[in-house]
Structure formats: C-alpha cells, structure tokens
Amino acid sequence: MSRFDTYKNAFPNARLTRSPSGVLEIAFHTDGGKLVFNGHTHEQFVDLFHQVGSDADNRVVILTGSGDAFMDAINPEGFDFFSPRGYDKILREGKKVLMNILDIEVPMITALNGPVLLHSEYGS
C-alpha cells in the first residue's frame, strides 16, 4: 500500500495535491508550464499511476494539465527508437501505464485544460 507522503513529490512532471477528504489532483507539467511528453515522462507515469492506485486513502482522482494544453507536445528525448530493446521498453511501459490507470479503483475525472494531441486515453 502506498502512502501519499512517500510519493507526492516523487514525479518531476506531476504536481500532486490531496485534500483532507482524499480528493487527489494530479496536474501534468514541464517546469510548471504545459507538459512536453518525452521518454522520461513515459516511464515516470507508469509508477505515478501505480502509486495512486495503491493508496487506499485516495477517494477521487482529478487529472488535469498545466498551461494552455493537456498534452499536445512531444520531444524524443529519453526514447530509444533505434533498437529492438528500446521499442520493447516503450511497448511494455505503454501497456503498463494503461493497466495502472485501470487499477485505480476510485472515480477518476479528467479536467482537460486544452488540446489533447497525444495519449488521449489517459483522460478516458
């Protein structure tokens, strides 16, 4: 079981706040502005959603973004597109993040703050 105090500051691209009643807000960002998705966030969000789903004190999850877009920019940094091992890592992380989102057993609301041009499934 996860505890909020152990993971609330663990994700550089997700600002997490939780009310005393258990309403968790996750705001995606890059340096406080809109999220620029890359290989590091791809890996990071696998653990983020696992921690959120493992915390029994979360009662509701609100997922949103920062700046003028929810997720509309991508940077190849951190991705290995040039080897079979790199593609396998991307595939495994992609499947795992979706399974971890589905394992969040409380209501999850997405507040889209702007365009979603990639990974719209995060908000489904």
Side-chain angles (χ1 to χ4, degrees), residues 2-10 51:
S2 296
R3 299 209 25 92
F4 186 64
D5 288 340
T6 64
Y7 68 87
K8 69 179 177 182
N9 296 313
Q51 295 295 325

Side-chain angles (χ1 to χ4, degrees), residues 15-32:
R15 184 176 55 256
L16 282 67
T17 56
R18 187 169 70 192
S19 73
S21 62
V23 177
L24 174 67
E25 181 180 316
I26 303 169
F28 290 156
H29 70 93
T30 297
D31 298 325

Side-chain angles (χ1 to χ4, degrees), residues 2-91:
S2 296
R3 299 209 25 92
F4 186 64
D5 288 340
T6 64
Y7 68 87
K8 69 179 177 182
N9 296 313
F11 305 101
N13 298 101
R15 184 176 55 256
L16 282 67
T17 56
R18 187 169 70 192
S19 73
S21 62
V23 177
L24 174 67
E25 181 180 316
I26 303 169
F28 290 156
H29 70 93
T30 297
D31 298 325
K34 78 175 182 176
L35 178 72
V36 178
F37 195 82
N38 61 31
H40 306 296
T41 57
H42 196 261
E43 183 175 344
Q44 186 184 136
F45 293 164
V46 172
D47 191 40
L48 167 67
F49 290 117
H50 173 74
Q51 295 295 325
V52 169
S54 297
D55 187 343
D57 292 330
N58 291 325
R59 299 287 182 238
V60 174
V61 176
I62 301 171
L63 181 63
T64 192
S66 301
D68 63 356
F70 178 74
M71 196 180 306
D72 72 345
I74 190 167
N75 181 315
E77 179 185 337
F79 284 116
D80 175 6
F81 295 118
F82 302 105
S83 74
R85 187 172 301 229
Y87 272 108
D88 184 61
K89 181 179 186 292
I90 293 166
L91 176 65

